[in-house]
Structures are given as structure tokens and as C-alpha cells.
């Protein structure tokens, strides 16, 4: 999508790397958005941008332009055969949902190596929570994903609520890591600081937040370790900061 092009999804999800026929083998998928005048609008009620929804890799790359998603973004979902799906944004803006909906999920189900990369000047506006590691919220494999990673070396991540790194894993080998460095900026609870929400590092499974630069503005508590009556047998959290501002 480039040179002023517009992709409008009027109803249903935009699924990158979806199945074609049972047993859900499908094909790998790639979507690239470039050029400031270009945009993608996903407009249907409850519709999502899904990167790697089945057993094939999905790749999303945005270097400029504007994207609006009426509900959520999902990167790496469902199948253990889904390895290496990625969401990459170095410029432009993506906005999910409205207040109270519009989560940004990374590494759900049994996926492997779901990755988000945020360098450059990108702006990511999340209409609820930024969640790394969790269930699919329906049918499909349970929350046993591994190698879930966010690398933010630039740009700005704004969340209406909070960030959860290692949110709902049920396997002791599941892990999620958020790496903040360079000029990256995080602003949580941008619209709602009254719900008692907290950024949680290691709610269920293993969650790590490694800060070697950048600025993390958490406008609510930061909790390291198990919380909220989580039932997983392990809950390991680590926040390590060697440079930047917290």
C-alpha cells in the first residue's frame, strides 16, 4: 500500500498469513505500508489486524502512513506451527480501538517467536492494554507460546491502560521480553488512571523488561511478579534498567 493508496476492510479482519483450506496450512502473508499519504482502515465492528493467525508466518511492515483498527492487533496466534510472525513499524501511526477496547496482543496461543519492532519515529496508540503472552480468547491451543519479544529502540507507544509482559502463560517454559532502548518512549494510562490497572512484568510465566535507554512513563504502579489471583504454577518477573529514565 503506497503512493497514496488506501486499503479499506469494511467488515471482518485483515488476516496476514491465513489458512486456505483445512488443515489450516495456508500461505505466508506480507503487508507493507509506506508513504505518508497512504493508509489502511479496518472498519468492521470488532474487526482486528491479525498477523500470523494460523500455521503460516505473517509479516506486517509500516514505514509511514496511517492505520486505524476498530478493535485489536494480534501478532502470532493459535498454532505452534506459526513461527516468526512479526509486526514492524518505523514511521507513521497506528491506532487501535477506542477507550475500553483495542488491545495489542503479541504471542498468543502456541505461537513461537512472535515479535514487534518499533524503531524510528513510529507512533503506536493502543486503545486498551499492550499484552505479551496469552490465550486466544476462544478455541485453539492454550497459552504456551514461547520467545515473545518487543524491541522498541525509537518511536512512541501510548496505551490507554497498561502493559503486561508475560500476561497469561500456563507453561513454565513460556517467556516474553520487552526491550526498551535508544530514543523509545512509553506512556501508559494515557486516558484512564482510575481503574486500578498496573503494568505487570511476569504475571504468569516468565516476563522480562530490559531497559538500556529510552523513557518509560508508567502513570500507574509497576508490579513485578504474580498478581491478580493468577493461577499459573510459575510467575517470574524481572525489570532491569541500566540507562534511560523510569
Amino acid at each position: 500500500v503506497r503512493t497514496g493508496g488506501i486499503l479499506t476492510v469494511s467488515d471482518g479482519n485483515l488476516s496476514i498469513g491465513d489458512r486456505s483450506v483445512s488443515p489450516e496450512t495456508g500461505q505466508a502473508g506480507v503487508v507493507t505500508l509506506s508513504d505518508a499519504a497512504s493508509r489502511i482502515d479496518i472498519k468492521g465492528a470488532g474487526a482486528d489486524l491479525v498477523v500470523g493467525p494460523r500455521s503460516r508466518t505473517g509479516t506486517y511492515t509500516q514505514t509511514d502512513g496511517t492505520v486505524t483498527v476498530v478493535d485489536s492487533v494480534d501478532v502470532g496466534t493459535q498454532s505452534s506451527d506459526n513461527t516468526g510472525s512479526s509486526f514492524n513499524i518505523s514511521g507513521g501511526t497506528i491506532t487501535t480501538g477506542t477507550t475500553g477496547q483495542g488491545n495489542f496482543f503479541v504471542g498468543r496461543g502456541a505461537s513461537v517467536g512472535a515479535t514487534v519492532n518499533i524503531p524510528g519515529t513510529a507512533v503506536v496508540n493502543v486503545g486498551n492494554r499492550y499484552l505479551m503472552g496469552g490465550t486466544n480468547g476462544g478455541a485453539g491451543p492454550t497459552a504456551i507460546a514461547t520467545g515473545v519479544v518487543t524491541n522498541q529502540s525509537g518511536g512512541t507507544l501510548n496505551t490507554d491502560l497498561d502493559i503486561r509482559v508475560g500476561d497469561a502463560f500456563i507453561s513454565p517454559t513460556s517467556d516474553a521480553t520487552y526491550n526498551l532502548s535508544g530514543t523509545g518512549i512509553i506512556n501508559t494510562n494515557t486516558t484512564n488512571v482510575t481503574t486500578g490497572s498496573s503494568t505487570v512484568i511476569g504475571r504468569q510465566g516468565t516476563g522480562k523488561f530490559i531497559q538500556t535507554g529510552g523513557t518509560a512513563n508508567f502513570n500507574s504502579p509497576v508490579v513485578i511478579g504474580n498478581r491478580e489471583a493468577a493461577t499459573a504454577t510459575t510467575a517470574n518477573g524481572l525489570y532491569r534498567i541500566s540507562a534511560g529514565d523510569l
Side-chain angles (χ1 to χ4, degrees):
V1 184
R2 59 183 181 179
T3 58
I6 300 171
L7 171 61
T8 301
V9 183
S10 297
D11 188 20
N13 299 338
L14 171 57
S15 297
I16 306 172
D18 208 345
R19 64 181 176 182
S20 54
V21 295
S22 180
E24 304 183 2
T25 52
Q27 296 293 327
V30 176
V31 169
T32 302
L33 175 68
S34 60
D35 173 288
S38 299
R39 73 175 194 261
I40 297 175
D41 296 316
I42 301 172
K43 302 173 67 174
D48 305 325
L49 169 60
V50 188
V51 185
R54 303 289 179 178
S55 61
R56 288 293 181 263
T57 301
T59 303
Y60 174 89
T61 302
Q62 181 178 349
T63 59
D64 210 334
T66 303
V67 178
T68 57
V69 184
V70 76
D71 196 4
S72 299
V73 171
D74 287 279
V75 182
T77 71
Q78 191 162 345
S79 175
S80 60
D81 295 333
N82 187 285
T83 301
S85 288
S86 64
F87 180 99
N88 312 283
I89 179 169
S90 58
T93 302
I94 184 167
T95 301
T96 74
T98 58
T99 301
Q101 68 176 35
N103 290 322
F104 196 121
F105 296 100
V106 189
R108 303 178 83 187
S111 64
V112 177
T115 302
V116 171
N117 296 304
I118 311 173
T121 60
V123 177
V124 180
N125 298 312
V126 178
N128 204 44
R129 287 189 162 115
Y130 189 91
L131 299 159
M132 299 178 65
T135 65
N136 284 317
T142 50
I144 57 175
T146 57
V148 183
V149 177
T150 297
N151 299 307
Q152 184 182 2
S153 59
T156 303
L157 171 67
N158 301 309
T159 68
D160 280 11
L161 286 181
D162 47 48
I163 295 174
R164 304 287 175 96
V165 182
D167 179 56
F169 289 133
I170 64 170
S171 168
T173 61
S174 293
D175 63 294
T177 303
Y178 197 114
N179 297 304
L180 178 63
S181 64
T183 59
I185 299 171
I186 294 173
N187 299 307
T188 70
N189 294 89
T190 56
T191 64
N192 196 336
V193 295
T194 63
T195 63
S197 67
S198 302
T199 287
V200 182
I201 313 300
R203 179 173 176 266
Q204 295 183 79
T206 297
K208 298 178 182 179
F209 195 106
I210 310 299
Q211 185 174 357
T212 59
T215 301
N217 296 310
F218 298 116
N219 296 301
S220 66
V222 176
V223 179
I224 301 172
N226 202 349
R227 178 173 161 79
E228 299 175 330
T231 58
T233 56
T234 60
N236 302 309
L238 169 68
Y239 195 121
R240 185 171 67 208
I241 176 170
S242 59
D245 296 314
L246 165 60

